[in-house]
Amino acid sequence: MKDASKRWEQLEDFFIQDGRILEIGSSTGAFLEKCSQKCECVCVEPDSTNRAFVSRFSVDQYEYLEDIPDGEKFDLICLFHVFEHIRDPFDFLKKCKPLLNTGGSIIIEVPHIEDPLLSIYDLDAYKDFYFQPMHHYIYSANGLRCVFESEGFYEKKIMFYQRYGLDNHLAWLKKGKPGGDLKFKKLFGSCNEYCRVLERAQKTDTIIYIAGKNGRNNEG
């Protein structure tokens, strides 16, 4: 819920009142719970237990993208830490595009190749943790532009977001593994300026990418 609340705070302005929203990979529906207060929500979620739980916040639940009936349209499609798991992002976007209304958008949140533990600290232990087989791609800003533009989308906004703070990074540098450190958490857990500095430098662990359907002068 903490992550979902932060996402909603960052992105609410992109969600139109009473708009139709599709979240792909909704898990237990923490973000849809926030979104459903403003929009009509639909989800794609492979796990049947999660789908049953998400039914409290979404009007329809589908196991796979291909299960969505022909003619269904949405104002916004969202994927939070899902896009990096997709083996063929080009084919995936081809399937998403017909689901969007004219002027519709896709919002994705993905890990960023410029994660500071890689791009600044060059931490070998973190590399072993970070590059995992289930992540088919780790994206840069230019990589996302290439993928989306090749499928007829244009960039509306890109946000560099640092999820983990100074206490987490100090713990990684000290221990070389995840799990944090209570002493660092107590001393530096509220040091938000560290994250803001990384965001201004575009050296963040996360990118939020918002793409519109078709070109700027041709949104049909």
Side-chain angles (χ1 to χ4, degrees):
M1 283 306 301
K2 182 179 179 181
D3 284 344
S5 296
K6 179 63 178 179
R7 284 186 188 121
W8 186 246
E9 178 186 320
Q10 292 170 312
L11 299 171
E12 182 181 0
D13 288 347
F14 291 94
F15 291 76
I16 61 174
Q17 185 68 44
D18 300 321
R20 295 199 78 222
I21 308 303
L22 173 65
E23 184 179 5
I24 300 174
S26 59
S27 186
T28 56
F31 184 77
L32 287 183
E33 182 175 0
K34 294 286 185 182
C35 185
S36 63
Q37 299 171 32
K38 185 175 183 179
C39 305
E40 180 183 278
C41 299
V42 174
C43 80
V44 170
E45 170 53 48
D47 186 272
S48 59
T49 302
N50 285 345
R51 285 200 307 278
F53 195 82
V54 173
S55 65
R56 300 186 302 166
F57 316 118
S58 64
V59 296
D60 291 302
Q61 308 85 41
Y62 301 102
E63 185 174 4
Y64 300 112
L65 191 66
E66 292 79 5
D67 296 336
I68 298 175
D70 291 342
E72 285 286 282
K73 294 285 186 179
F74 303 94
D75 300 299
L76 199 57
I77 298 175
C78 306
L79 302 91
F80 301 111
H81 290 273
V82 171
F83 198 70
E84 67 272 20
H85 295 275
I86 294 171
R87 189 180 297 274
D88 188 341
F90 301 96
D91 180 66
F92 176 80
L93 290 177
K94 283 184 174 73
K95 293 174 180 176
C96 286
K97 198 170 183 183
L99 295 172
L100 284 170
N101 283 321
T102 299
S105 301
I106 294 182
I107 297 178
I108 66 167
E109 180 179 312
V110 293
H112 186 198
I113 195 63
E114 293 294 326
D115 186 309
L117 288 173
L118 300 173
S119 64
I120 297 174
Y121 300 114
D122 194 26
L123 185 62
D124 286 336
Y126 187 67
K127 294 175 188 177
D128 293 338
F129 170 82
Y130 188 79
F131 294 106
Q132 302 179 22
M134 67 282 290
H135 289 176
H136 297 296
Y137 302 95
I138 304 294
Y139 290 98
S140 65
N142 284 336
L144 288 171
R145 290 185 187 106
C146 177
V147 171
F148 277 85
E149 288 176 5
S150 72
E151 297 304 325
F153 292 86
Y154 69 93
E155 183 178 307
K156 296 181 77 171
K157 188 169 185 178
I158 187 165
M159 301 164 68
F160 296 91
Y161 172 43
Q162 182 60 34
R163 298 173 74 198
Y164 293 99
L166 178 60
D167 61 303
N168 175 272
H169 287 179
L170 290 174
W172 264 104
L173 292 168
K174 176 185 176 183
K175 299 178 179 180
K177 61 182 181 180
D181 185 288
L182 291 177
K183 184 183 294 184
F184 291 150
K185 184 74 173 177
K186 182 176 180 180
L187 287 171
F188 304 112
S190 61
C191 186
N192 295 325
E193 182 57 25
Y194 176 75
C195 293
R196 304 296 85 77
V197 169
L198 293 172
E199 289 168 357
R200 289 194 291 270
Q202 300 181 4
K203 299 287 188 180
T204 56
D205 53 30
T206 304
I207 292 182
I208 298 172
Y209 191 83
I210 304 167
K213 180 180 177 180
N214 296 320
R216 293 180 185 275
N217 298 317
N218 178 20
E219 293 195 1

